[in-house]
Amino acid sequence: MRALHPAAPVQAPFSDAIARRIARPFAPRRPWGNWSDYCYTRLKLRSDPLYPAVIAALRHSRSPVLDLGCGLGLLAHALRMAGLEQAYLGLDIDATKVRRGQQILARSGLADARLEVHDLGCSRPAHRGSVTLLDVLQYLDQPTQQALLADAAGMLDDDGVLVIRSTLAEDSARGRTSLRADAWAHRIGWMQTRPQHYPGAEELQRPLEQAGLQVQLQPLYGNTPFNNWLLVARH
């Protein structure tokens, strides 16, 4: 069922000082190294309210976090910076990103955090706790999206929270900008797969409500031109 009370206020992006602090482990060990991960991470943290919003959603839960489509594992660093100590497991199909993320985790010394390679299009891991799906769904076809949403709902324990950030299917300036950006990310090799299906709001909410979850959905634009929305669901 949908929440009857107003959605929580949209979070602002991190300040530059906090963004620098979180991004520091992503910098190369030597000044002449590759700075692309550091620059991408710092820019994302300064412009995108995603991670403050996820932190707010998970703040009062102690359940372990399964981050599906984790990329470099940036969420783990943001959670620890905010003082959240839930066990963290990040899964992603991109083995190159996972390997770099593992190296960054090792340098950072974050406790109880790990990354693994996993293809969500083929199977889902066993898990009980909280689940995050951040900018992942559009890279799966519609039937796989619906199956993954139902599976994610079934992973939540009594204290668990499901946090989803996704571009919604809308014929708007933000929607068209999101499509172009995703296509560009694939062309330059940042994303291994092309977007397959952008869900509508009802497609996101229906399988979660059918699983008996309370669902909140709100825009999460921040200082970006993209049509990003945040969904938070819990028992």
Side-chain angles (χ1 to χ4, degrees), residues 18-38:
I18 294 178
R20 280 202 312 270
R21 196 167 124 207
I22 298 173
R24 192 174 298 132
F26 293 77
R29 294 183 175 183
R30 298 175 178 84
W32 57 85
N34 188 336
W35 287 82
S36 59
D37 286 342
Y38 172 83

Side-chain angles (χ1 to χ4, degrees), residues 162-174:
L162 173 60
V163 187
I164 298 172
R165 209 272 287 271
S166 181
T167 295
L168 293 188
E170 291 182 353
D171 185 15
S172 63
R174 284 186 175 276

Side-chain angles (χ1 to χ4, degrees), residues 13-22 42 45-46:
F14 287 121
S15 67
D16 185 54
I18 294 178
R20 280 202 312 270
R21 196 167 124 207
I22 298 173
R42 184 176 169 188
L45 293 168
R46 289 177 56 191

Side-chain angles (χ1 to χ4, degrees), residues 81-164:
M81 183 282 307
L84 276 64
E85 300 296 333
Q86 300 99 319
Y88 171 92
L89 172 60
L91 303 180
D92 201 284
I93 192 175
D94 191 330
T96 301
K97 281 185 185 175
V98 169
R99 184 172 60 252
R100 297 205 311 272
Q102 289 170 335
Q103 293 168 350
I104 294 166
L105 277 179
R107 291 201 302 266
S108 306
L110 296 190
D112 211 0
R114 57 195 175 96
L115 305 178
E116 296 178 2
V117 178
H118 192 94
D119 184 354
L120 295 177
C122 295
S123 66
R124 257 75 72 189
H127 173 74
R128 292 293 290 169
S130 293
V131 180
T132 60
L133 280 159
L134 309 179
D135 303 328
V136 172
L137 288 177
Q138 65 262 37
Y139 297 100
L140 304 171
D141 60 39
Q142 199 269 351
T144 304
Q145 286 181 17
Q146 292 294 294
L148 178 57
L149 290 171
D151 288 347
M155 293 178 184
L156 299 189
D157 61 14
D158 290 342
D159 192 43
V161 184
L162 173 60
V163 187
I164 298 172

Side-chain angles (χ1 to χ4, degrees), residues 14 46 72 79 117 147 162 178 225-227 231:
F14 287 121
R46 289 177 56 191
L72 295 170
L79 292 174
V117 178
L162 173 60
S178 297
F226 308 124
N227 189 34
L231 182 148

